[in-house]
Amino acid sequence: MLALISYTRGLQESVVKLYSSALQAAKSTSPSQTFAEPLDPYLRSRGIAIDRGLKAMDVSSATKPLDFAEQQEQYPMQIGHPFKTIGPPINIYHPVFTQFKRLLVTRDISPTPQDIETAFDFLQAAVEVYQSDGARLRCITPFIENLLGNRCLGGGDPSFSGNPDGIIYYHTGFEKIPLLVIEATNEFCAGLSDPGIRGAFSYRKLWADTTAPTIRNACCSPHPDIRIGQQPGSFRLAEDVAHMMVVLRSCLDDLQAFYDGVSPKDKAQIEAVMPVSQSFGNLMVRFTSGNLQSDSYGRALFDAVAKSSDEQEETPVKVKVVPRYGKEAHILLAEERLAPKLLHCEKLDAHWTVVIMESIPGPNLLLAGYDRITPRVLTDIQEAVSLLHRKNLVFGDLRSPNIVLCDRHTLDGVERGAMLVDFDWAGTAGEQRYPLGLNMMHGWPKGVKANGVSLKEHDLGMLEKLRAAYLEQN
């Protein structure tokens, strides 16, 4: 979600804000359904999201404070309002969003002098006093169209309940795609609803309605939204806005090329809930599942297959997106086969890290049950913790979901062993902190608390719980 001309602390931090896809369903306990329920759980979740979009109130009403909370309770979207609706980062679903942020920082694309002049005229027009949002939008539309490569900015169907202030459509050979949604606010005559929230709700209404159904069945339906507010203009700000708009123009070109390559489908495909295939470093990754952690706020985990540029065969992998990752700890244990091989780890942006590791076929200890703990399983876990502690590192989250059972080949045959996964909380002992939202219901050792430092004795306390569970079963 682009917040255009909301300029307070710097272009990257306050002008740009990206929300996760509104069609990625937020968790609900009792959804009301009017669709044919597919067998695949990911497609079922997507069907629930589309159904919510159809049943939600019209955008103008649903986004006003008196109705917004109720609408987010009944027909939630993963837009981060309230906190429990934080979705996974949109960057993982299509590379164009990472590209957008990268180009804003690197300035590999530069505006022309004409672009800067147009942006300055746009800023001047945007801060004039208008009697209505419509009057303001009519005045600034020609400048927006010019800056975005002369793309036609039109309105939607007035009878449509999700009608935004402006839409740029792209006509593929099959269907008309909403490529960009614009929401504007006239702050001297402002309504009660936030234009950023309206943009997200309009997005859902557009894609949940009859717009491009066969394209919607075939991909995750990415597109950006623009929120236009009012801030005084200046020549320096004109340069920044021009730069941002030409970057957006380039990204819209990339999205058009993406949609040109999408083959329409009459029925929903698994690709509709998966990120598109993309490269990370020297790995080409093809996703094979929806989000395996859809009930975790702001996190994502996917099954996928990957291969490097010099490989012929694809390898099963796990791809996860987290706020931070203990890369050093993971590599240390992977070298001793006490963790899956780490294939790639990089920051998508300032807030998210993408991690790609080999996929281990065995179940985690939570699913397998404590009766599956063997002496070798316990030995592997103890060795992993000891190795980390010798390097002054802590694991931080030695719970059963983060212990995966695996086969160990020995001279006497195959025996059951274990690997540690999920190094989100791993780091330097006495420095790494537990998350602010730590769930204290998990029975942590004494001294563990939200935002508290992670200590070696905490790992040892969790290890002692595993030993006790093993002894109880034997």
Side-chain angles (χ1 to χ4, degrees):
M1 187 76 66
L2 306 180
L4 180 60
I5 319 178
S6 175
Y7 195 84
T8 55
R9 289 184 302 161
L11 191 65
Q12 283 68 48
E13 291 188 12
S14 58
V15 176
V16 180
K17 186 177 183 181
L18 291 169
Y19 282 112
S20 298
S21 167
L23 285 183
Q24 301 302 317
K27 192 175 182 182
S28 178
T29 54
S30 57
S32 175
Q33 301 175 31
T34 59
F35 56 91
E37 187 174 300
L39 295 178
D40 188 285
Y42 302 115
L43 294 182
R44 179 179 179 276
S45 177
R46 176 180 174 275
I48 292 173
I50 293 172
D51 189 57
R52 289 171 180 162
L54 294 172
K55 290 184 174 181
M57 297 171 64
D58 66 273
V59 172
S60 295
S61 299
T63 55
K64 291 180 180 178
L66 291 177
D67 297 304
F68 176 70
E70 180 181 350
Q71 288 292 293
Q72 276 293 75
E73 186 65 31
Q74 292 182 353
Y75 312 112
M77 283 194 300
Q78 292 185 334
I79 58 175
H81 302 279
F83 179 80
K84 66 181 181 180
T85 63
I86 294 176
I90 195 173
N91 311 45
I92 193 67
Y93 283 92
H94 196 287
V96 72
F97 299 106
T98 298
Q99 177 80 342
F100 178 84
K101 288 189 172 184
R102 185 187 68 79
L103 290 173
L104 282 180
V105 175
T106 62
R107 292 187 175 264
D108 290 343
I109 296 178
S110 299
T112 66
Q114 182 60 50
D115 289 327
I116 297 174
E117 292 175 19
T118 302
F120 184 67
D121 292 339
F122 166 55
L123 287 169
Q124 287 185 306
V127 297
E128 290 294 330
V129 179
Y130 299 94
Q131 297 302 310
S132 67
D133 285 348
R136 181 165 174 267
L137 188 62
R138 286 191 295 274
C139 184
I140 63 178
T141 289
F143 304 115
I144 297 174
E145 292 178 335
N146 186 302
L147 288 167
L148 294 181
N150 295 314
R151 291 179 166 91
C152 180
L153 177 62
D157 182 350
S159 65
F160 175 50
S161 65
N163 193 33
D165 292 327
I167 307 173
I168 291 179
Y169 283 105
Y170 176 61
H171 294 263
T172 69
F174 303 97
E175 289 179 329
K176 183 172 68 173
I177 304 296
L179 197 66
L180 181 71
V181 164
I182 291 180
E183 290 287 352
T185 179
N186 184 36
E187 294 185 8
F188 287 101
C189 305
L192 294 176
S193 58
D194 178 84
I197 299 297
R198 285 206 312 268
F201 273 65
S202 294
Y203 171 92
R204 179 170 68 172
K205 280 290 187 183
L206 277 168
W207 283 99
D209 201 61
T210 57
T211 301
T214 62
I215 296 294
R216 186 186 70 194
N217 285 337
C219 69
C220 60
S221 311
H223 84 226
D225 300 340
I226 291 182
R227 180 181 70 192
I228 301 176
Q230 287 186 320
Q231 291 290 336
S234 67
F235 287 107
R236 177 58 185 166
L237 184 56
E239 292 180 4
D240 289 339
V241 170
H243 174 243
M244 185 177 66
M245 294 296 269
V246 298
V247 168
L248 178 58
R249 184 166 72 203
S250 173
C251 290
L252 292 180
D253 291 339
D254 291 343
L255 278 179
Q256 288 182 189
F258 165 74
Y259 280 118
D260 281 337
V262 174
S263 299
K265 303 295 181 182
D266 292 330
K267 294 183 178 181
Q269 308 296 306
I270 189 65
E271 286 80 7
V273 294
M274 297 189 310
V276 302
S277 297
Q278 53 192 288
S279 60
F280 296 95
N282 71 332
L283 290 178
M284 175 54 68
V285 177
R286 180 169 59 86
F287 292 85
T288 58
S289 80
N291 184 8
L292 302 173
Q293 291 184 336
S294 59
D295 58 346
S296 298
Y297 303 153
R299 298 188 180 216
L301 175 68
F302 301 91
D303 285 324
V305 290
K307 66 176 180 179
S308 63
S309 55
D310 58 350
E311 292 177 331
Q312 298 296 320
E313 298 294 327
E314 293 179 319
T315 301
V317 298
K318 297 285 188 184
V319 181
K320 65 184 302 181
V321 185
V322 292
R324 70 163 306 277
Y325 201 71
K327 180 179 178 180
E328 180 184 0
H330 191 149
I331 292 175
L332 181 65
L333 295 193
E335 290 175 347
E336 302 298 326
R337 296 304 295 162
L338 294 170
K341 184 178 180 182
L342 182 62
L343 303 175
H344 187 74
C345 183
E346 70 166 321
K347 280 189 171 292
L348 283 177
D349 55 36
H351 306 290
W352 298 102
T353 296
V354 61
V355 179
I356 304 174
M357 69 187 80
E358 67 174 332
S359 182
I360 304 301
N364 65 46
L365 191 55
L366 177 65
L367 296 177
Y370 286 112
D371 59 335
R372 299 289 300 278
I373 298 178
T374 65
R376 177 59 188 266
V377 167
L378 199 58
T379 297
D380 284 350
I381 299 170
Q382 291 172 330
E383 288 184 0
V385 171
S386 296
L387 181 57
L388 291 173
H389 288 185
R390 287 199 297 272
K391 297 294 184 178
N392 200 36
L393 298 172
V394 288
F395 186 66
D397 194 10
L398 198 61
R399 293 178 295 129
S400 55
N402 302 327
I403 299 169
V404 173
L405 302 182
C406 62
D407 289 338
R408 299 291 190 190
H409 296 274
T410 67
L411 295 177
D412 298 325
V414 178
E415 62 178 336
R416 187 184 310 133
M419 292 186 179
L420 300 190
V421 297
D422 198 347
F423 290 77
D424 302 14
W425 301 357
T428 302
E431 295 181 6
Q432 176 61 34
R433 291 185 176 273
Y434 291 104
L436 286 167
L438 182 68
N439 186 346
M440 297 304 297
M441 301 298 291
H442 288 310
W444 300 103
K446 183 179 179 180
V448 174
K449 63 180 181 178
N451 200 39
V453 294
S454 183
L455 303 175
K456 295 178 182 179
E457 47 261 41
H458 300 160
D459 282 349
L460 296 176
M462 294 299 289
L463 182 58
E464 190 56 40
K465 288 178 177 287
L466 290 172
R467 287 198 192 97
Y470 167 70
L471 293 175
E472 185 177 341
Q473 295 294 330
N474 294 274

